[in-house]
């Protein structure tokens, strides 16, 4: 092995993913486990996080031939609003259990940004089950939406799926604004329309269930269903709203598109292109270069190489040493 080791982690609603590697050699071993880290009265549960992560990290270090990771980078969903306990306890736990000397804790929007665009100015729309937009001019961070499916995430997968199911039930009732195509798709996925509330409301993972219908909305839109087309056009408007709010001033801004929702292709990308062009003259959008775990790897490699340039923020992105010593200070975040 050449170069010090690193641990990169992506923690989200679908579970934990991790990679261990060495400076100059990139990731050498990867693993994933299903199920999210628990949240409770203290926010993200640091004890459960350590319980889930440490055995995986030790196994990856053994597989990669790395004695200990010098640096750990953790991108976690909910860190900005639910991460106080995690920020207070995780760096010491990683030092104690794995020998980590520097730990970077980042909101998953930040690691999604780095995975999509790298460490350069711009904005990223991250659209999966939810939706969040994040931008930076390399002096600070701006975030828009990401408020969850009850308060926001407008234009994300759960939003699209819910709008599609609403149109299906309108058709079932004979109300205006319904789509028989979406009704047929909904019954194909969930069974009889009248039973849909009973199948959906008791579920603990309702956002994921709603988002599971989004691809069918995309298929109906691609086939020309006018209601589905309007749903995706509305989603594109919401995405452009968030991108406009966070995009740094530039003559030709770059916006990265990250997340599984964009796999719909032209049915979503064409209206989004129109909305972005109208709001941000000269805009150029690109598909993400990588995912949030790739972003965490990039941050780890830059920290090891001493070439880290992203702005720090106490809630969105901070780097600490053992026993909570703050290595870098925040530049500020606007939400």
């Amino acid at each position: 092995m050449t170069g010090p080791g690193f641990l990169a982690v992506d923690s989200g609603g679908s579970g934990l993913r991790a990679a261990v590697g060495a400076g100059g050699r990139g990731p050498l071993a990867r693993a994933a486990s299903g199920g999210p880290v628990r949240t409770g009265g203290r926010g993200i549960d640091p004890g459960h996080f350590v319980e889930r992560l440490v055995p995986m990290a030790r196994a990856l270090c053994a597989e990669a031939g790395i004695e200990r990771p010098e640096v750990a980078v953790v991108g976690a969903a909910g860190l900005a609003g639910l991460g106080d306990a995690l920020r207070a306890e995780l760096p010491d736990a990683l030092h104690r259990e794995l020998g980590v000397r520097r730990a970077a804790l980042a909101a998953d929007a930040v690691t999604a940004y780095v995975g999509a665009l790298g460490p350069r100015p711009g904005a990223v729309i991250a659209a999966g089950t939810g939706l969040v937009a994040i931008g930076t001019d390399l002096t600070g961070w701006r975030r828009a939406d990401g408020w969850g499916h009850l308060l926001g995430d407008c234009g994300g997968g759960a939003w699209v799926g819910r709008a599609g199911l609403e149109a299906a039930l309108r058709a079932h009732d004979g109300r205006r604004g319904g789509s028989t195509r979406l009704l047929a798709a909904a019954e194909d996925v969930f069974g009889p329309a009248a039973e849909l509330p009973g199948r959906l409301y008791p579920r603990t993972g309702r956002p994921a269930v709603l988002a599971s219908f989004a691809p069918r909305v995309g298929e109906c839109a691609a086939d020309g269903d006018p209601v589905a087309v309007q749903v995706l056009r509305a989603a594109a408007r919401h995405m452009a709203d968030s991108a406009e709010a966070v995009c740094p001033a530039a003559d030709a801004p770059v916006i990265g598109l990250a997340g599984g929702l964009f796999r719909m292709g032209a049915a979503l990308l064409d209206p989004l292109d129109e909305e972005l062009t109208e709001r941000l003259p000269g805009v150029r959008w690109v598909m993400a270069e990588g995912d949030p775990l790739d972003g965490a790897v990039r941050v780890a490699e830059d920290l090891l190489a001493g070439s880290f340039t992203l702005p720090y923020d106490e809630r969105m992105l901070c780097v600490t040493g053992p026993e909570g010593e703050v290595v870098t200070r925040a530049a500020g975040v606007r939400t």
Side-chain angles (χ1 to χ4, degrees):
M1 186 197 74
T2 60
F6 66 78
L7 167 67
V9 180
D10 174 46
S11 172
S14 60
L16 279 178
R17 298 186 302 148
V20 164
R25 297 182 62 189
L28 300 174
R30 297 174 182 262
S33 67
V37 174
R38 287 194 299 260
T39 59
R42 300 175 66 213
I44 302 170
D45 185 337
H48 190 229
F49 203 110
V50 171
E51 178 184 314
R52 294 283 305 282
L53 175 61
V54 166
M56 182 190 300
R58 286 175 175 160
L60 289 173
C61 286
E63 180 181 344
I66 290 175
E67 182 177 355
R68 67 173 182 85
E70 173 75 17
V71 165
V73 176
V74 175
L79 183 78
L82 299 172
D84 286 347
L86 196 69
R87 279 185 290 267
E89 299 179 23
L90 186 60
D92 282 352
L94 293 176
H95 175 63
R96 181 177 62 252
E97 300 291 341
L98 299 173
V100 171
R101 296 198 56 78
R102 283 186 295 168
L105 272 61
D108 62 336
V110 171
T111 50
Y113 182 99
V114 180
L117 290 183
R120 57 170 166 161
V124 166
I125 304 170
T129 297
L131 186 135
V132 64
I134 187 168
T136 183
D137 58 3
L138 298 185
T139 65
W141 293 100
R142 297 187 66 170
R143 192 195 79 172
D145 212 337
W147 300 119
H149 76 291
L150 292 178
L151 299 176
D153 284 357
C154 298
W159 186 97
V160 169
R162 190 212 58 80
L165 290 172
E166 179 187 344
L169 292 177
R170 284 180 174 274
H172 175 269
D173 295 343
R175 290 179 288 152
R176 291 184 179 182
S179 164
T180 56
R181 288 287 303 279
L182 287 169
L183 175 59
E187 293 192 321
D188 181 53
V189 174
F190 297 107
E195 299 177 8
L196 181 59
R199 293 180 181 273
L200 177 63
Y201 291 147
R203 297 283 292 271
T204 57
R206 283 187 295 274
V209 176
L210 291 170
S212 71
F213 191 62
R216 301 300 292 269
V217 178
E219 291 170 6
C220 290
D223 289 340
D225 180 77
V227 176
V229 168
Q230 288 306 310
V231 169
L232 294 194
R233 182 163 290 280
R237 285 196 296 270
H238 285 306
M239 291 178 180
D241 286 343
S242 294
E244 184 181 23
V246 303
C247 194
D251 292 334
V254 178
I255 296 178
L257 307 183
L261 199 62
F262 294 114
R263 287 198 289 266
M264 287 185 184
L268 177 60
L269 294 176
D270 286 352
L272 180 58
D273 180 68
E274 293 175 12
E275 294 288 341
L276 291 174
T277 300
E278 179 181 342
R279 297 157 190 261
L280 298 165
V283 69
R284 179 170 62 92
W285 60 264
V286 297
M287 299 306 296
E289 297 173 1
D291 64 17
L293 183 58
D294 296 319
V297 168
R298 177 65 182 268
V299 171
E301 291 178 324
D302 287 353
L303 283 170
L304 285 175
S307 58
F308 186 65
T309 58
L310 290 172
Y312 305 104
D313 178 86
E314 62 183 356
R315 303 190 74 80
M316 298 283 284
L317 176 61
C318 62
V319 182
T320 63
E323 300 180 3
E325 175 192 356
V326 177
V327 177
T328 51
R329 294 290 181 181
V333 64
R334 296 170 63 184
T335 61

